């Protein structure tokens, strides 16, 4: 895909916005420059956040879009000449793959360190989690009680033989979950858990998380693994059929070893050869700000990573849960082992 500008605001318009916003400090936006964003997130809410950043700073945001693997491959092939300034993707495992490929550089920022808890960022500052999502259970309340799925062990227990829907083993969300279980339990117990998951499948893995939720509603299965924001998005959808599903299917937040639900992040890191590094750091800091965190949570139904920012409506209705404190940076290094265990169990 050729580099293309999806957000372009003129200097005159930016100045007008600043003039009409007396509550904001004056910013010299002349020659503010640009930032090239390689992003695997494709949400209207993110676009609106970038537009707001440009309004405030005059810095143009150029979007280069693809999935995480495509963007990692592109940055690798571009080498030192890569125009990438900031890499944005969902899942700590995908961020780790970019880090492991040498595509991200450390960023030292008091603003970011103050806004993003240590367990939601790379210890060396190569990437920062910006939005949280929980990997939890959708269930049919006519057949399942919340106490039946209050731990991750229960998902693989014999009581759910032939009653579970789950997406494929190559889903990065599942790889990170299993990686977290390996970290918490070790490989032997986790291998047993993956075998239990396979034994409990009501059908071969297919579709995305919303498909699993709809399958519970259709009676194909009684429980399903899903990311929280997919369910919340359906509950607030313009599609009446999706809203109806969430009146009949409920969410449970299982606990891992009594410490809370497994959480993952969407996040970003400054590219190793960023030609506009200062602007990349500035955008990264803005994405961690209360303004951006609130806007993304309200529009995309992820939870803010910044603990000082409460989840806004409608996300707040599903925000009262305990998140496991495990560092999300541990997921990526465990993904190869997770894939091996899942394949050995027959999880396709």
């Amino acid at each position: 895909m050729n580099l293309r500008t999806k957000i372009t605001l003129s200097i005159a318009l930016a100045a007008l916005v600043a003039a009409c916003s007396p509550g904001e400090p004056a910013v010299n936006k002349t020659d503010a420059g640009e930032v090239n964003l390689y992003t695997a997130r494709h949400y209207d809410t993110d676009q609106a956040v970038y537009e707001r950043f440009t309004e405030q700073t005059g810095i143009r945001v150029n979007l280069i879009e693809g999935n995480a693997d495509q963007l990692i491959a592109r940055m690798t092939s571009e080498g030192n000449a890569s125009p990438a300034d900031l890499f944005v993707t969902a899942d700590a495992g995908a961020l780790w793959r970019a880090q492991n490929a040498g595509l991200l550089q450390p960023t030292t920022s008091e603003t970011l360190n103050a806004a993003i808890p240590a367990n939601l960022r790379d210890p060396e500052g190569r990437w920062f989690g910006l939005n949280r999502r929980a990997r939890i259970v959708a269930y049919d309340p006519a057949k399942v009680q919340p106490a039946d799925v209050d731990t991750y062990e229960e998902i693989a227990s014999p009581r759910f033989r032939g009653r579970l829907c789950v997406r494929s083993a190559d889903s990065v969300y599942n790889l990170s979950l299993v990686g977290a279980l390996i970290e918490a339990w070790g490989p032997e117990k986790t291998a047993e858990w993956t075998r239990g998951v396979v034994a409990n499948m009501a059908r071969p893995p297919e579709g995305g998380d919303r498909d699993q939720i709809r399958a519970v509603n259709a009676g194909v299965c009684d429980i399903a693994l899903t990311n929280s924001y997919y369910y919340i998005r359906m509950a607030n959808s313009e599609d009446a059929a999706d809203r109806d599903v969430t009146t009949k299917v409920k969410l449970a937040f299982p606990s891992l070893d009594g410490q809370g639900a497994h959480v993952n992040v969407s996040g970003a890191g400054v590219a190793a050869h960023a030609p506009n590094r200062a602007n990349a750091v500035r955008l990264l800091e803005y994405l961690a700000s209360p303004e951006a965190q609130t806007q993304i949570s309200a529009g995309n139904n992820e939870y803010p990573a910044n603990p000082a920012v409460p989840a806004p409506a409608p996300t707040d209705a599903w925000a009262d849960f305990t998140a496991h404190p495990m560092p999300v940076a541990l997921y990526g290094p465990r993904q190869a082992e997770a894939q091996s265990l899942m394949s050995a169990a027959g999880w396709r």
Side-chain angles (χ1 to χ4, degrees):
M1 184 185 297
N2 292 328
L3 181 66
R4 58 191 176 92
T5 302
K6 296 188 71 177
I7 305 169
T8 307
L9 294 177
S10 68
I11 299 299
L13 178 58
L16 178 60
V17 170
C20 295
S21 305
E24 297 175 2
V27 178
N28 181 5
K29 299 175 183 174
T30 304
D31 297 325
E34 63 184 4
V35 58
N36 299 319
L37 189 64
Y38 280 41
T39 180
R41 286 172 57 93
H42 315 293
Y43 304 124
D44 291 343
T45 297
D46 289 24
Q47 171 97 6
V49 168
Y50 303 145
E51 289 173 353
R52 179 61 176 157
F53 173 76
T54 302
E55 289 174 0
Q56 292 188 13
T57 65
I59 298 169
R60 299 187 309 276
V61 180
N62 304 320
L63 297 187
I64 299 85
E65 298 178 294
N67 66 41
D69 289 336
Q70 290 170 339
L71 295 172
I72 288 170
R74 175 170 176 161
M75 293 167 68
T76 300
S77 67
E78 290 169 342
N80 295 350
S82 176
D85 291 313
L86 197 65
F87 174 70
V88 178
T89 192
D91 198 276
L95 289 162
W96 177 82
R97 290 203 298 273
Q99 165 197 321
N100 197 46
L103 300 175
L104 305 178
Q105 62 173 287
T107 298
T108 301
S109 165
E110 292 183 6
T111 297
L112 287 168
N113 289 344
I116 306 302
N119 71 309
L120 301 181
R121 50 183 160 92
D122 171 57
E124 297 183 23
R126 289 166 292 191
W127 52 263
F128 295 80
L130 298 169
N131 318 107
R132 296 181 301 136
R133 64 275 297 277
R135 191 137 189 85
I136 50 177
V137 174
Y139 69 95
D140 181 346
K143 303 174 183 176
V144 178
Q145 297 300 310
D148 297 337
V149 283
D150 61 359
T151 70
Y152 287 91
E153 286 97 333
E154 291 290 350
I155 297 167
S157 70
R159 79 163 71 194
F160 288 115
R161 287 290 183 263
R163 301 172 65 190
L164 169 67
C165 285
V166 64
R167 65 195 294 173
S168 65
D170 61 4
S171 162
V172 71
Y173 308 138
N174 287 337
L175 286 169
S176 287
L177 171 60
V178 175
L181 297 182
I182 294 170
E183 189 67 31
W185 295 341
E188 291 186 9
K189 180 176 178 179
T190 305
E192 180 182 358
W193 186 87
T194 61
R195 290 192 293 269
V197 166
V198 172
N200 287 356
M201 289 181 184
R203 66 180 183 188
E206 62 178 63
D209 279 10
R210 279 174 284 198
D211 296 307
Q212 315 312 316
I213 298 168
R214 293 175 183 129
V216 174
N217 180 64
V220 175
C221 45
D222 297 335
I223 63 171
L225 274 172
T226 182
N227 279 351
S228 52
Y229 70 97
Y230 286 113
Y231 180 94
I232 301 170
R233 193 179 298 167
M234 290 175 69
N236 295 277
S237 173
E238 295 180 359
D239 186 335
D242 273 353
R243 294 198 306 273
D244 185 61
V245 166
T246 61
T247 67
K248 301 171 183 176
V249 178
K250 301 303 178 184
L251 277 188
F253 289 78
S255 183
L256 176 55
D257 292 342
Q259 297 184 69
H262 167 78
V263 295
N264 208 324
V265 293
S266 287
V270 176
H273 309 291
N276 303 290
R277 186 183 188 283
N279 286 347
V281 173
R282 194 168 179 184
L283 176 55
L284 190 53
E285 291 176 340
Y286 177 72
L287 293 173
S289 71
E291 178 180 22
Q293 294 266 297
T294 300
Q295 188 172 355
I296 290 175
S297 181
N300 198 46
N301 308 127
E302 295 169 287
Y303 303 111
N306 187 335
V309 181
T315 309
D316 61 340
W318 292 271
D320 186 18
F321 71 97
T322 299
H324 197 283
M326 181 183 292
V328 299
L330 296 175
Y331 305 163
R334 292 290 194 182
Q335 285 197 343
E337 187 176 7
Q339 183 73 75
S340 178
L341 292 183
M342 296 161 84
S343 295
W347 190 340
R348 304 299 180 220

